[in-house]
Amino acid sequence: MTLNPRSTTVLCVALSLCALLAIPTNFPGLGGDARFTLAVFVFATCAWIGTSIDDTYIALGAGLALTVTGVISSDTLFGTLGDATVWLLICAFVLAAAVSRTGLAGRAAVFLVSGARTVRQLVHLTTAALVVTAFAVPATSGRAALALPVFLALAKVLADRKRLVVMLALLFPTVILLSAVATLIGAGAHLITVSVLWETTGQHIGFTEWLLLGLPLAVASSHLAAELVMLTTTRRADRRGPVSITPEQIQEHSEQSVTGPWSQAEKRCTLLLATVVLLWCSEPLHRVPPALVALIGAVIASSPALGTVRLKDALKTVPWSLLLFMAATMAMGVALADSGAAKWLVSGLPTGQHPVMFLAIVIAVSTAAHLVLQSRSARSSVLVPLVVAAAVGVGVNPVAAALASTAAAGFCHTLPASAKPVTLFAQIPGTPTYTPRDLLRLSAFLAPLTAALVLLFAVAVWPLLGVSVTR
C-alpha cells in the first residue's frame, strides 16, 4: 500500500505518541495495561483518520490486540456481539427489508407530499416524511437508499424547476442525517453510546428514553435545517411559484404502486410495524426489552404465512460489517474504562469548569469531528468514552454529555464525502444536484445552528425530561 503525504504524517504522529507511552518514566501513574490500551487507541484513531483501510478491519485488529495481550478477556470481545443492541439492529434491518419490499415508503410520501401547494409546504411535508422514516429504517445509509426513488420521482415531476430539484437533493440527506437522533436505531453510533454508558456508569438508556429525548431535537433541527436549505439554494422567485404534485404524477416515475387499493401484504406490514413501534414506545409498561420485541417482529415479517420477505433475503440487507465494527469498538471502550486509560486522559482537566462551558466544548468538538473522522460510529467510538470519563471528573451528568456529543456528531454536511447519504445524493446521473460549494454555503450556517440547538436542549430541555446537566 502506497502512503500519501497525509497518511505518512498521521503515521508519524501515531508512532511518536506510542514511543512516548513506551517509556516507563513518562506519564507517572499510568499502568502497563493503560499504556498499551492508549497505544492501541492512538493507532486505531490515526488509521481511521489517515488511511483507506476499512474501518471494521482496524477496529477488529485493535480489539484482537487488546485481547491477546490480556487487557480484556476473550469473553468481553466476543460477548459484545451478543449485546442486546446488536440484536436490536439486526432485527430492525429485517423489519426494514419487509417495509421496503412492500413499497409503503412510496405511499407514505404520496400521502404527505401530494398535499403541498407551495414550495415551503413541500419542503416541510417532505421533512416530516423523512423524520418518520427513522422509526422504520435503521441507519442513515439505509434511509437514504429507501428515499432515493421518492426523490427521483419528485425530480422528474419538477424537472422544469431546476433550482427546486437541487434544493430537494440537498434537503433529503440533510434531514436524514439530523433526524437520526430521533430513535435509538437511527444510527449505529447511538448503540455505541448506550453501550459505553452502560459499561462505564451502569446507566441504561432504553428505546423509550432515547425517543423522549431525541425526537423533539430531531424535529426541531430537521425543520430549521429545511428552512436553511430552502433559503440557501433557491431564490425568492423560485419559492413564489405554486406547486402541484399529484399521486398519479409520482406513480408515473415509481416502479411500485403508490396509488390504488392497498394489498394484503401492505396492510400486514403496516400493522406489524405499527405494533412494533408501539411496543418499543411502551416499554416502561410491559417491560419487554426492545431487542426481544424487534426479534418477534422480524420473525413474523419473514414468516412464510404472514411475512413479506424471506429471511435469507432480509439478512442480506443487514450491514454485518457495521455490527462487527460496533462490537469491536465496544470492546475498545471497555478496555479504556477498565484499564484506567480514559480516567488518566481526562485527569488533567480543570475540575472547576462550568458545566455549560464543558458541554459547549464537547458539542463544538463533536460537531467538527466529521472533518477528521468520516465514520459516524468511529466518531462516537473515539469521543464518547472520553466525554463520559471527563464528565464524571468535572461533575457533569455523563448521560447529558454523551447524548450531546452523539447528537452534535450527527452534523456531517461539509463535504460530499462527509457522510454516505451526502455522497449518494451528490452523485445522481441525469438529475440536477448540489455542488461542494452548495454544501459549504449550507454548512456555514447549519453547523453553528445545530451546535447551538443541541446545547439549548442539553441545558434547558433535557433537564425537564429527567436528564440534568450536573450529577
Side-chain angles (χ1 to χ4, degrees):
M1 182 181 68
T2 304
L3 295 178
N4 56 40
R6 180 186 179 186
S7 299
T8 303
T9 302
V10 171
L11 180 61
C12 291
V13 170
L15 290 174
S16 300
L17 291 174
C18 291
L20 290 174
L21 288 168
I23 300 175
T25 55
N26 288 337
F27 315 117
L30 194 61
D33 283 352
R35 288 176 184 272
F36 185 77
T37 300
L38 284 177
V40 171
F41 189 74
V42 167
F43 258 115
T45 303
C46 290
W48 284 328
I49 294 172
T51 71
S52 59
I53 302 174
D54 185 78
D55 290 345
T56 302
Y57 187 85
I58 295 168
L60 287 174
L64 182 62
L66 292 169
T67 304
V68 170
T69 55
V71 177
I72 57 174
S73 66
S74 58
D75 290 341
T76 298
L77 178 64
F78 297 129
T80 54
L81 276 173
D83 191 271
T85 55
V86 173
W87 278 92
L88 173 63
L89 196 60
I90 292 174
C91 297
F93 269 99
V94 174
L95 286 168
V99 172
S100 179
R101 183 65 61 90
T102 60
L104 284 175
R107 284 191 181 272
V110 166
F111 175 75
L112 287 171
V113 174
S114 60
R117 294 295 175 264
T118 65
V119 172
R120 180 166 271 105
Q121 286 181 352
L122 174 64
V123 167
H124 287 285
L125 287 174
T126 301
T127 298
L130 291 172
V131 171
V132 171
T133 62
F135 296 91
V137 182
T140 53
S141 56
R143 292 168 62 203
L146 184 67
L148 183 60
V150 177
F151 163 73
L152 291 174
L154 292 175
K156 290 175 182 176
V157 173
L158 299 170
D160 58 334
R161 303 175 70 175
K162 181 179 177 181
R163 287 186 183 276
L164 291 189
V165 176
V166 173
M167 180 268 293
L168 288 174
L170 188 53
L171 176 70
F172 272 71
T174 298
V175 175
I176 286 171
L177 290 167
L178 293 180
S179 63
V181 74
T183 70
L184 182 59
I185 62 172
H190 302 170
L191 304 180
I192 292 173
T193 297
V194 169
S195 176
V196 170
L197 280 171
W198 173 252
E199 293 289 347
T200 55
T201 68
Q203 294 176 278
H204 175 67
I205 300 179
F207 187 93
T208 307
E209 292 85 354
W210 192 288
L211 180 68
L212 181 65
L213 299 168
L215 181 58
L217 175 60
V219 172
S221 61
S222 296
H223 283 280
L224 286 174
E227 281 289 326
L228 270 181
V229 170
M230 183 173 58
L231 294 175
T232 57
T233 56
T234 62
R235 298 170 181 171
R236 184 172 298 178
D238 302 318
R239 300 190 293 271
R240 189 179 298 125
V243 171
S244 178
I245 300 176
T246 65
E248 290 72 23
Q249 287 176 313
I250 297 180
Q251 181 65 77
E252 291 177 6
H253 307 290
S254 177
E255 296 180 0
Q256 296 173 314
S257 177
V258 297
T259 59
W262 286 45
S263 66
Q264 289 299 317
E266 288 175 321
K267 293 178 181 178
R268 290 198 306 269
C269 191
T270 301
L271 179 61
L272 175 62
L273 183 62
T275 303
V276 169
V277 173
L278 180 62
L279 289 173
W280 278 341
C281 296
S282 59
E283 178 193 357
L285 298 177
H286 53 69
R287 298 296 179 185
V288 180
L292 184 57
V293 171
L295 180 58
I296 295 171
V299 169
I300 296 175
S302 58
S303 64
L306 301 175
T308 59
V309 64
R310 292 189 301 175
L311 182 60
K312 67 176 184 179
D313 294 332
L315 290 177
K316 291 178 182 178
T317 68
V318 177
W320 298 105
S321 178
L322 172 63
L323 296 177
L324 289 174
F325 177 87
M326 286 173 50
T329 53
M330 285 177 189
M332 290 173 63
V334 172
L336 280 171
D338 291 352
S339 67
K343 184 177 180 180
W344 178 85
L345 275 175
V346 299
S347 60
L349 293 176
T351 55
Q353 193 171 4
H354 194 279
V356 176
M357 181 58 67
F358 173 81
L359 287 175
I361 294 172
V362 166
I363 291 169
V365 172
S366 301
T367 301
H370 72 282
L371 297 174
V372 179
L373 282 169
Q374 294 181 351
S375 168
R376 191 172 187 168
S377 298
R379 292 198 294 276
S380 288
S381 302
V382 173
L383 292 173
V384 173
L386 303 181
V387 166
V388 169
V392 173
V394 300
V396 174
N397 185 351
V399 175
L403 287 174
S405 174
T406 305
F411 173 82
C412 37
H413 303 67
T414 308
L415 302 171
S418 294
K420 292 178 182 177
V422 180
T423 304
L424 178 63
F425 280 86
Q427 302 172 354
I428 307 177
T431 302
T433 186
Y434 48 86
T435 64
R437 185 178 178 182
D438 294 324
L439 283 174
L440 290 174
R441 183 169 56 246
L442 174 65
S443 297
F445 297 98
L446 188 57
L449 175 65
T450 54
L453 191 62
V454 172
L455 182 61
L456 174 65
F457 268 76
V459 173
V461 179
W462 290 343
L464 300 177
L465 301 175
V467 179
S468 59
V469 175
T470 56
R471 301 182 67 187

